[in-house]
Amino acid sequence: MKHYFRALLMSLLLAASTAQADMTIEIVGVGSQQYPIAIIPFQNENLDQQPVTPVIGSDLNTSGVFKVLPIADRSLHAYTPAALNLAALQASGAQYAVLGQIFNEGGQAVIKFWLIDIVTKQELIAYEKRGNPAQLRRMSHQIADMIYEKITGKSGAFSSRIAYILKTGKAFELQVADADGYGAQTVLKSKMPIMSPRWSPDGGKLAYVSFELEKPVVYVHELATGKRWQAANFKGSNSSPAWSPNGRQLAVVLSKDGGSQIYIVNVDGTNPRRISQGGEINTEPSFTADGQSIVFTSDRGGSPQIYRQSINGGNAERLTFSGGYNASAKISPDGKSMTYITRDNGYRVAVMDLATRRSTTLTSTNMDDSPSFAPNSSMILYETDVGRRGTLAIVSSDGKVKQRLKSQNGEVRQPAWGPMLR
């Protein structure tokens, strides 16, 4: 029960500047099939502050699904499909090739690129992308998403962001970064704990819990302006915010009427409405993809288990039965799966197929927590302990691809994967 009540015990006991705290990605498990792909340096990219192809290559390589082949032989460099030496690229082991050009037109950065199937000699993608020169890295992530989707048939998530809590000494920072850990920015820094960051559906806001008033209070923070406000500051503990899919409401956990109960409030903090009934502890709410129900953790059955209930009230349906501990549930954006933490020779990330109710444990580490799905539903971000130090990790929903995001600046905990950047 210690793991389950970690956040609650902290609540009861304790009742934006820019940083470059970038993280590096370590691949600890790859997919059963890797696509060999040659990424040729784009024409003129050395003239730009942010080269494009290293970002694309890193995205595809760290996904665990691609094997990015270095093309050191400059005679194989080409900037148009007609100039490609397909026979030599195929001899190098490549099945696909990415090539392109970068130039400036009217103050805009223009990236023209092609994805070529080397075996069939087909152009799978021929695309021109325009944007602010300062956004070349974001454009590179979007190109990687296009390549990933064209070859795998699944949406990429490289152009999304993550949020997490960085703890250095006695200081807490709420940070956001690209999905690859690059370009971290501090949204809030405090000497008091910050917990449970959650992205709004449009990616423009974060809800979180701060103890700056010496009690847990739920805030909403507008990232573009820095404006923030209290969304839940009632008597007692206010914790575990979760956004409704339409972005207009939050599910929160309040103790104002005794115990821990789940309420739905408007984003401005008005009109609190209790929806959980029964049990002394009901916590960690998360909306289903259609916004009509929530899943949450409750002790009403004698041990922490996951339940589902309509936002209009009524009886709660128990979803987990295997084992004496299941908590921290999140529903995938496509509504087909649920990730959660199960006690299975340690606290580990699991996923349930909601149609069949079949569950699979995905990780082999011992102290996992705070899982959340990528916007493409195929990857899960979570926190784990490595050498008694909090760090972030990613596992694919089939458990085959595994990554670890390593920070040199302190402990990193309570991550949340945000929506795609457009």
Side-chain angles (χ1 to χ4, degrees), residues 129-202:
K129 195 165 191 62
R130 297 171 178 264
N132 188 319
Q135 299 297 322
L136 273 173
R137 188 175 186 89
R138 179 183 298 183
M139 295 165 68
S140 303
H141 288 315
Q142 292 169 338
I143 291 170
D145 283 331
M146 294 175 66
I147 295 168
Y148 184 97
E149 182 171 7
K150 190 65 178 181
I151 294 177
T152 69
K154 301 176 182 178
S155 299
F158 305 119
S159 54
S160 59
R161 289 188 292 178
I162 60 175
Y164 52 87
I165 307 301
L166 174 68
K167 186 176 184 294
T168 53
K170 296 183 179 180
F172 297 83
E173 295 183 46
L174 170 59
Q175 294 195 334
V176 299
D178 291 351
D180 61 358
Y182 181 89
Q185 293 184 311
T186 298
V187 176
L188 178 69
K189 188 172 184 178
S190 176
K191 294 180 180 179
M192 299 298 286
I194 308 168
M195 299 170 57
S196 307
R198 299 291 183 268
W199 289 93
S200 63
D202 64 3

Side-chain angles (χ1 to χ4, degrees), residues 39 41-42 45-46 50-60 137 140:
I39 300 181
F42 287 6
E45 82 170 340
N46 289 333
Q50 176 58 68
V52 168
T53 54
V55 178
I56 298 171
S58 177
D59 282 347
L60 298 178
R137 188 175 186 89
S140 303

Side-chain angles (χ1 to χ4, degrees), residues 25-81:
I25 297 180
E26 175 188 5
I27 305 173
V28 293
V30 299
S32 56
Q33 178 182 8
Q34 287 188 289
Y35 300 96
I37 187 168
I39 300 181
I40 299 170
F42 287 6
Q43 185 179 28
N44 299 325
E45 82 170 340
N46 289 333
L47 302 178
D48 292 286
Q49 292 183 343
Q50 176 58 68
V52 168
T53 54
V55 178
I56 298 171
S58 177
D59 282 347
L60 298 178
N61 187 59
T62 55
S63 73
V65 178
F66 288 85
K67 182 179 180 181
V68 177
L69 304 177
I71 305 299
D73 186 349
R74 295 188 62 85
S75 68
L76 296 182
H77 290 192
Y79 307 124
T80 64

